[in-house]
Amino acid sequence: MGITDPKQWLTLAIMLPLAMILPAHSDSNHYEGRTNYQAPQAPQALVVDGVADEAIWQKAAWQVLDQRWLGPEYTKEDFQGRYKIVWTQNKIYLLGEFVDDILIDTHRDPLTQYWDDDTLEIFLDEDYSGGDHQYNHNAFTYHLSLDNQAIDIGTDKKPRSYSDHVESRWQQHNNTILWEVSIDVYTDAYRDDASDNQRVSLSAGKVMGLMVAYCDNDGSELRENFVGSEFVPGEGKDRGWIDAGLFGALTLVE
Ligand SMILES: [Ca+2]
Ligand SMILES: [Ca+2]
Ligand SMILES: [Ca+2]
Ligand SMILES: [Ca+2]
């Protein structure tokens, strides 16, 4: 069957290169069963204050943290957690809602054993590439302790503050805390100590890797539980800080 209509030729001419350019959304770099989260676009920047009174939060779905990566069984008075995501061109925003019976920040130095305080961990892989991110910026793991700083490991293999990437505020509401975070998004080209790192401009259709977790300590020397949003197969479930293949897919929608 020949193509006689010039418009069909035009369509073909446009579609063929697109099909070659657009990456097939293969999941070969991710484990099976990842969360697929659709984040709605906010009409304007949100106020990061631990109060979810922006109307856009009503449009976003909750995703639970129910995967026990470390520690014994826990009660729902001890810990419950869930999160939502929305976005603007400039940032993604996370709203976390947590039940935690005792709030603890015993390591006052933000770079010391920060994962053994009550900590909100946000794992972000800008291009959903998966792969190793332990000592590179293929992905970030922002560790937000109760002091609202964001710590991750740098390419020098040492903990460092990435607090300038985030704005973080939490407030207590009855027996829950609401934690609001904005995050600037950077690619894997990010360089520690450089002053010219470019933030990514976000748009609808973009897919990023995302995983959220909470380190719950209620008075022990080490954290008592580590509970995340993604199923981790096999032994050694605390490996999200190394393997971005565990992250779920975060799709930005209009
Ligand atoms: Ca707010
Ligand atoms: Ca607790
Ligand atoms: Ca990446
Ligand atoms: Ca706690």
Side-chain angles (χ1 to χ4, degrees):
M1 222 166 78
I3 295 174
T4 50
D5 183 344
K7 268 191 275 182
Q8 280 181 288
W9 278 113
L10 190 63
T11 307
L12 259 184
I14 291 168
M15 292 305 292
L16 281 175
L18 263 183
M20 287 185 283
I21 293 163
L22 289 175
H25 217 64
S26 158
D27 249 58
S28 57
N29 295 326
H30 292 85
Y31 293 85
E32 278 183 22
R34 300 304 91 196
T35 296
N36 243 313
Y37 189 94
Q38 313 257 310
Q41 181 175 13
Q44 68 228 357
L46 280 71
V47 179
V48 177
D49 55 1
V51 181
D53 58 359
E54 292 86 357
I56 189 65
W57 285 128
Q58 300 300 321
K59 286 196 182 172
W62 286 114
Q63 184 70 36
V64 292
L65 277 61
D66 59 359
Q67 300 295 313
R68 186 166 52 87
W69 293 342
L70 292 177
E73 295 279 353
Y74 52 88
T75 65
K76 62 184 196 311
E77 291 75 32
D78 182 359
F79 175 75
Q80 292 175 65
R82 56 183 188 166
Y83 72 87
K84 292 179 171 186
I85 303 283
V86 301
W87 64 282
T88 63
Q89 184 185 337
N90 295 323
K91 292 170 193 292
I92 67 165
Y93 294 86
L94 175 140
L95 179 69
E97 184 192 72
F98 303 104
V99 172
D100 184 359
D101 48 351
I102 297 172
L103 297 177
I104 278 201
D105 183 4
T106 52
H107 304 89
R108 298 303 305 133
D109 176 351
L111 300 182
T112 300
Q113 265 180 275
Y114 43 90
W115 58 88
D116 284 321
D117 295 321
D118 285 326
T119 302
L120 166 59
E121 289 195 29
I122 303 171
F123 304 76
L124 193 63
D125 173 5
E126 181 270 337
D127 58 357
Y128 196 56
S129 62
D132 171 84
H133 75 101
Q134 186 171 17
Y135 300 126
N136 58 59
H137 294 313
N138 174 26
F140 288 87
T141 304
Y142 296 112
H143 295 73
L144 298 149
S145 295
L146 295 173
D147 60 358
N148 293 309
Q149 298 193 55
I151 311 301
D152 191 18
I153 298 175
T155 50
D156 61 358
K157 306 189 179 181
K158 292 181 181 147
R160 66 167 64 209
S161 174
Y162 294 94
S163 302
D164 60 322
H165 296 196
V166 309
E167 198 178 349
S168 168
R169 293 287 179 274
W170 58 273
Q171 287 201 43
Q172 187 151 323
H173 304 264
N174 301 315
N175 71 329
T176 65
I177 64 171
L178 275 188
W179 203 328
E180 219 170 10
V181 183
S182 72
I183 306 175
D184 297 334
V185 179
Y186 290 97
T187 70
D188 53 13
Y190 185 90
R191 288 172 302 135
D192 291 334
D193 298 321
S195 57
D196 59 349
N197 289 301
Q198 297 292 315
R199 286 179 299 178
V200 174
S201 177
L202 304 174
S203 55
K206 184 174 179 61
V207 180
M208 292 188 277
L210 175 77
M211 185 161 76
V212 179
Y214 190 90
C215 305
D216 184 16
N217 194 335
D218 298 329
S220 303
E221 187 187 346
L222 307 177
R223 63 183 158 183
E224 294 158 19
N225 282 110
F226 189 25
V227 182
S229 61
E230 298 297 321
F231 170 69
V232 180
E235 298 295 311
K237 302 201 180 295
D238 174 22
R239 51 180 208 273
W241 66 291
I242 298 171
D243 186 355
L246 292 164
F247 300 6
L250 165 66
T251 304
L252 308 183
V253 298
E254 282 182 10

